[in-house]
Amino acid sequence: MSDHRLQVDLDPGRSGSDLYDAGGTISGAIQLFSAESLDCRELTVTIGWQTEARPHFLKWTPATGFHSHRNLSLHRGVLNQGSQAFAFRCELPQDPKSYNGELFDIVWQVQARLVWGANNEQTAAATFHLMIPKYACHLEELKGRLLPR
């Protein structure tokens, strides 16, 4: 079996923050290393959010699942051996904002998916926080208290 590695890099060159303004833009690159050439059926990026529930003493669990905001097709066809980068850019919605609560969290992600051959698939993801625009620039120092993890 050949070696393929997939990685999501959010906004290379950005100041290291994973806080993004609602209604703003997110960009980045999907980094792919392949030990051999392969026939790529699709390389896609999906930007979306999901809820993550915590155990609750009443055994109540909110509905979970990934909610897609935008799907982008980055490549189809032959991928050459070696390292390659595929850039993406997407406008972000106004809602829902990232949330860290007692019962559940709202978590935003950029998910990459590479499909090749008959049934081969590899995925990678990076998380980020969607914030109210005027507060995003001030939250970096408070991030540990407001968005623990």
Side-chain angles (χ1 to χ4, degrees):
M1 176 116 192
S2 58
D3 181 28
H4 307 292
R5 288 190 301 274
L6 194 62
Q7 178 178 316
V8 178
D9 290 336
L10 296 180
D11 290 315
R14 193 168 184 251
S15 64
S17 172
D18 64 351
L19 302 175
Y20 288 82
D21 290 347
T25 301
I26 191 167
S27 62
I30 305 306
Q31 304 292 335
L32 172 65
F33 171 80
S34 181
E36 64 183 28
S37 294
L38 58 98
D39 184 21
C40 171
R41 289 183 22 219
E42 65 179 347
L43 175 61
T44 59
V45 167
T46 302
I47 293 113
W49 61 277
Q50 65 187 19
T51 56
E52 294 180 354
R54 299 191 207 324
H56 188 267
F57 73 95
L58 294 176
K59 307 281 190 238
W60 175 80
T61 304
T64 59
F66 190 78
H67 305 274
S68 174
H69 164 66
R70 182 72 41 91
N71 294 308
L72 306 170
S73 178
L74 299 182
H75 184 81
R76 290 176 196 254
V78 175
L79 289 168
N80 297 323
Q81 176 183 3
S83 296
Q84 299 174 70
F86 299 88
F88 67 89
R89 183 177 180 84
C90 178
E91 302 263 333
L92 293 169
Q94 292 294 328
D95 290 303
K97 311 293 189 290
S98 295
Y99 175 74
N100 185 357
E102 284 188 42
L103 298 178
F104 67 94
D105 299 341
I106 296 175
V107 179
W108 279 87
Q109 285 189 332
V110 173
Q111 298 179 345
R113 180 173 174 252
L114 171 66
V115 179
W116 74 97
N119 278 332
N120 300 306
E121 180 178 323
Q122 187 171 5
T123 61
T127 60
F128 65 95
H129 296 97
L130 188 67
M131 308 300 293
I132 299 169
K134 69 179 186 176
Y135 295 112
C137 63
H138 301 290
L139 286 179
E140 191 59 35
E141 71 267 11
L142 300 174
K143 186 176 163 188
R145 288 190 317 195
L146 297 175
L147 299 166
R149 285 206 213 274

